[in-house]
Amino acid sequence: MLALTLDQVRVSYPGLETPVLDIRSLAIAAEECVAVTGPSGSGKTTLVNIITGLARPDQGRVLWGAEDIAALPEARRDRWRAETVGLVMQDFHLFEGLSALDNVLLPARLRRAAGRDTVDHAHALLARVGIKRANQSTATLSRGEMQRVAVARALLRRPKVLIADEPTASLDPGHGAEVAELLLSLARESGATLIAVSHDERLIKRMDRSLALSAGRLANAAFAGLAA
Amino acid sequence: MIRFILADLKRLWAASLVIILLVALASALGVGITLQERALRLGSARAADKFDLVIGAAGSETQLVLSSVFLQPAPLPLLPGDVLPKLKQDPRVTFAAPIGFGDSFKTYPVVGSTPDLINALNNGAAPEGGTPAGEHDAVIGSAVDLTIGQSFEPMHGAAGDAGHVHTEFTYQVVGRLMPTGTAWDRAIIVPIEAVWEIHGLHAEEKPPGVPAILVKPKTIADAYKLRGEYRGDQTVAVFPGEVLTRLYATLGDARQVMSIIALAAQALVAAAIALIAIAHVAQRRRQIGALRAFGAPRSAVFGIVWIELLALMGTGIGLGFLVGWAAVRLISDQLTRQNGVVLPVEFQGGDLGLALLLLVAAAAIAAIPASLAYRQPAVAALRS
C-alpha cells in the first residue's frame, strides 16, 4: 500500500572519506517484496535505518507514499514508524519475563494504542503464526517460536510496511524456512510492502526482486528503477 | 508499561534487592538518629516533670539532677544536716523530701526518703498494698521484680557493683507504686531514717546530711526565690528542666554531627546507585534501542527507567523508616529496662517532610540514568 522512493540519499560518518550510503535513485512499488543483499559493511543496516526513520540521511529525500520522512523531526518519525512500519530483527528482541502475548502488545501499549480490538488481533496473530499458548513465557519458547512471536508483534498494528533485518540468520534451516514463509504470506495477505535484508537464498529467491548493495551504492543501478 | 517494569524488576531481582537494602540502611541511619535523640529528649523531659526544685551540696548541678531525678549512681557530697529541717519549716515549701542513696538490691537502687516523695511519685494516691509504717517498710517502683510481703537485705554500693551486704538490716516490701515512666519505676524507696541507721548516722546527735532534697514550692514565685536563696557557697539549687535544657543542647549538637555523617552515608549510597543505574542503562543499549525501533516514544523509555529506579529507592526509603523505627524501639526498650526511663519512640510531622525530601532526591537521582536512556539514539538496536 505504500511505495518507497529514495532521491539523492547520502549518509556519511565523520572521519570516513566515502559515504556509507549513496543512493541517487531507488523506487520500490507498493506491495512489492524486495530483498536487499550485500557483503558486510555494504550499507545494508544504514539503508534500513534510513527507510524506517531510525536515522536521517545527511541529504536527500526518503518518500513513503507522498511523505518525506527524512524531513520529519525525531518524535514524528518515531510515531510514523510505530504506526506504519512492522520491524523484524535478527535477534528477535523479545523481552524476558513477559509472555508471548505481552511481547506482541508491548509496543502498542507503550503508545497507549492497545484497546480491546488490538488485544483480540494479537491473539489472532499469535494463532496465525503458530503459537498455541498466548500466555506462554518467552523463556520456554524455541528460537523459531521467538521469531514467530516477533513477526506477530511486527504485524499487530497492521503496518503498511514490513522491514525484516536478517530475519532468519539466527535460526536453523528448518525454522528459517518457516519464518520466511510466514513473512511472505503475511505480507502478501495484508498488502504490506516487504523489504528484507538477508543472505538467506531461500528467502531471496521467493521475493519479487533483489537489490545488491556494495560499498554503499546499489549495484545494477539500472534495475533499481525498473519496477514502477 | 507497568507489566514491563515489574517483569524487569523481577528479572533483576538480586540487583533490585541490593538497591533497596542500600537505600533502606542509609535511610534507617538518618531516621534512627532523629528518633533516638527525640526519644531521649522527650523521655528525660517527662521523667523530670515531677521534680520541681532539687537542692544539693555545692558541686555539679548536672550530676545532682542525674543522680536525684534519674538515679544515676554517683558519690555526691552531703548537704549540711540543718538544711532539711530548715526547708521543712519554710512557709514557701509544700514539702521537702530528702533523697538518700548509697545502697542497692540486685539491680535496683535503694533510696531513702519520706512519705512526701512517695506521695508525689504516686500522684497523691496510696501505694498499692499500703503505705510504709515502720523503719523496715519498703515501697517499690512498678518495674521492680519483688512481691508485696517479700523481704530483702540491701547491699552497699551501686547496683551491679560488688559490695558488702547489710545482713543486719532487712526490709520488707509493703507497697508498690504506679508506673511513672521514670527511673523511679526501678527504685526501692525506704525510710531515710533506715538509711541513716544502716550507715551509722544517728539523727539524735545532729541531723545527718543527705545528698539531695526534693522541694515542692507552693508557687512559681516561691520556687524562684528558693532557688536564688540556696544558690551559694554551700549549696546548689536547680530546676531539673534547666539542667536538662543544657544537656539537650549538647545532645542536639551530637545529633547534628551524627546527622551530617548520616547525610554523607546517604550521599555515598546515592552515588553508588546512580553508578549502578547508569552502567545498567549502558548495558541495555540494544534493548532500549529495540524499544525505540518498535515505536516506543522517548518519554516511555524515560518513564520505564525512571519509574523502575524510583520504585526501588522509594521502597528502600519506606523500609528504612521502618527499620530505623524498629532499631530505636529495640535500643530504647533496652535502655528503659536498664534505668527505668521510658523513651517515647514516635514520628512527628517533620519526619514526613524528611521522607518527602528523600523521595524528591531519589526522583532526581533516578532522572540521571533515565535521561541517558532518553537521549540514546534508536539505531542502537540494529548495529550488528
Side-chain angles (χ1 to χ4, degrees):
Chain A
M1 303 169 231
L2 269 187
L4 172 67
T5 312
L6 293 183
D7 179 28
Q8 305 290 340
V9 166
R10 258 188 170 207
V11 178
S12 306
Y13 291 146
L16 290 176
E17 269 184 29
T18 48
V20 173
L21 194 69
D22 186 3
I23 295 179
R24 281 197 210 109
S25 161
L26 169 62
I28 293 177
E31 301 188 37
E32 228 192 323
C33 296
V34 176
V36 175
T37 64
S40 154
S42 56
K44 303 190 298 296
T45 302
T46 311
L47 177 64
V48 169
N49 287 342
I50 298 299
I51 63 179
T52 53
L54 283 166
R56 255 175 160 159
D58 298 322
Q59 65 183 66
R61 297 187 304 159
V62 179
L63 293 146
W64 281 101
E67 187 162 27
D68 179 11
I69 64 168
L72 295 176
E74 180 156 10
R76 291 269 308 276
R77 268 185 286 132
D78 284 350
R79 179 146 34 146
W80 172 86
R81 184 170 58 257
E83 291 164 358
T84 318
V85 177
L87 203 47
V88 178
M89 291 185 276
Q90 178 176 340
D91 288 335
F92 326 141
H93 286 299
L94 293 186
F95 297 97
E96 251 181 77
L98 291 180
S99 65
L101 181 68
D102 285 336
N103 264 291
V104 170
L105 286 166
L106 181 64
R109 280 185 175 141
L110 290 179
R111 281 265 167 201
R112 303 183 196 290
R116 179 82 252 156
D117 290 340
T118 312
V119 177
D120 292 341
H121 188 48
H123 277 284
L125 277 170
L126 279 170
R128 173 72 178 83
V129 302
I131 300 295
K132 292 189 184 66
R133 288 175 326 164
N135 287 318
Q136 188 171 358
S137 159
T138 46
T140 58
L141 293 172
S142 70
R143 294 176 75 80
E145 285 170 329
M146 286 201 260
Q147 192 63 304
R148 284 191 264 149
V149 171
V151 169
R153 175 179 60 194
L155 285 158
L156 181 69
R157 294 184 77 186
R158 297 182 171 87
K160 299 187 175 73
V161 178
L162 257 183
I163 309 283
D165 186 14
E166 303 283 5
T168 60
S170 294
L171 302 173
D172 61 58
H175 288 127
E178 280 171 14
V179 167
E181 171 60 43
L182 255 182
L183 266 176
L184 278 158
S185 25
L186 285 167
R188 290 196 164 114
E189 275 165 33
S190 62
T193 308
L194 169 63
I195 298 175
V197 172
S198 185
H199 294 108
D200 188 341
E201 283 302 327
R202 274 167 312 188
L203 176 60
I204 294 170
K205 73 176 187 230
R206 295 184 58 189
M207 306 289 263
D208 295 336
R209 61 177 168 124
S210 80
L211 299 169
L213 266 181
S214 173
R217 289 162 183 267
L218 284 169
N220 301 337
F223 289 117
L226 262 187
Chain B
M1 179 144 94
I2 298 299
R3 227 175 289 201
F4 181 84
I5 288 169
L6 288 173
D8 237 9
L9 290 176
K10 204 170 133 189
R11 182 169 60 92
L12 301 162
W13 66 270
S16 302
L17 198 61
V18 165
I19 290 177
I20 291 174
L21 285 176
L22 275 176
V23 174
L25 284 173
S27 307
L29 190 61
V31 167
I33 289 167
T34 301
L35 285 177
Q36 189 68 81
E37 186 265 355
R38 182 181 299 150
L40 284 168
R41 196 166 22 92
L42 288 178
S44 55
R46 287 178 199 174
D49 240 2
K50 294 188 188 296
F51 296 79
D52 293 341
L53 180 67
V54 179
I55 294 174
S60 160
E61 285 183 359
T62 306
Q63 190 58 69
L64 178 63
V65 169
L66 286 177
S67 293
S68 58
V69 176
F70 298 102
L71 296 177
Q72 295 296 307
L76 288 181
L78 296 182
L79 281 163
D82 55 344
V83 176
L84 181 59
K86 193 168 155 205
L87 279 168
K88 280 181 162 167
Q89 284 157 15
D90 196 314
R92 297 168 294 187
V93 170
T94 305
F95 71 77
I99 301 176
F101 9 76
D103 289 340
S104 61
F105 175 67
K106 290 189 181 165
T107 58
Y108 309 110
V110 174
V111 183
S113 189
T114 58
D116 283 330
L117 179 63
I118 292 172
N119 222 25
L121 288 173
N122 219 37
N123 292 332
E128 173 207 334
T131 38
E135 243 183 38
H136 295 260
D137 288 348
V139 171
I140 56 177
S142 59
V144 174
D145 188 18
L146 285 168
T147 52
I148 295 176
Q150 205 172 335
S151 295
F152 64 94
E153 282 151 5
M155 189 196 78
H156 189 70
D161 293 349
H164 140 87
V165 175
H166 295 289
T167 49
E168 66 283 7
F169 204 95
T170 307
Y171 290 111
Q172 190 183 43
V173 179
V174 301
R176 183 188 290 276
L177 294 173
M178 296 190 293
T180 60
T182 70
W184 289 84
D185 287 344
R186 298 190 75 256
I188 301 173
I189 306 171
V190 298
I192 187 69
E193 294 81 11
V195 172
W196 285 333
E197 196 188 309
I198 290 183
H199 294 106
L201 304 164
H202 297 287
E204 305 94 41
E205 292 149 14
K206 72 172 186 175
V210 287
I213 299 173
L214 170 64
V215 176
K216 179 120 186 110
K218 288 201 168 111
T219 68
I220 296 181
D222 290 337
Y224 275 94
K225 284 196 202 123
L226 284 163
R227 184 181 75 140
E229 240 174 69
Y230 282 87
R231 275 187 150 172
D233 295 334
Q234 303 261 332
T235 57
V236 293
V238 289
F239 299 137
E242 278 181 325
V243 170
L244 286 177
T245 305
R246 285 202 294 267
L247 283 175
Y248 296 154
T250 311
L251 195 63
D253 291 340
R255 181 179 65 79
Q256 274 199 330
V257 169
M258 290 204 284
S259 292
I260 291 172
I261 294 171
L263 201 66
Q266 285 158 2
L268 273 173
V269 165
I273 289 171
L275 204 64
I276 293 171
I278 289 169
H280 181 60
V281 163
Q283 231 185 14
R284 292 174 80 178
R285 294 187 81 233
R286 297 204 74 205
Q287 200 195 49
I288 292 170
L291 277 177
R292 294 283 312 284
F294 295 137
R298 283 187 137 169
S299 55
V301 168
F302 180 95
I304 287 170
V305 176
W306 190 72
I307 291 175
E308 275 184 20
L309 198 53
L310 187 57
L312 289 177
M313 294 174 82
T315 305
I317 290 168
L319 190 63
F321 268 65
L322 200 63
V323 168
W325 177 86
V328 172
R329 270 302 298 261
L330 275 172
I331 293 170
S332 298
D333 285 350
Q334 178 63 17
L335 286 172
T336 303
R337 265 195 296 277
Q338 276 173 357
N339 59 39
V341 179
V342 168
L343 301 175
V345 183
E346 49 193 46
F347 284 111
Q348 288 178 350
D351 298 331
L352 184 65
L354 173 67
L356 285 174
L357 199 66
L358 286 174
L359 277 173
V360 166
I365 292 163
I368 301 172
S371 61
L372 281 176
Y374 180 91
R375 291 176 49 182
Q376 200 178 293
V379 289
L382 297 182
R383 280 211 185 113
S384 44

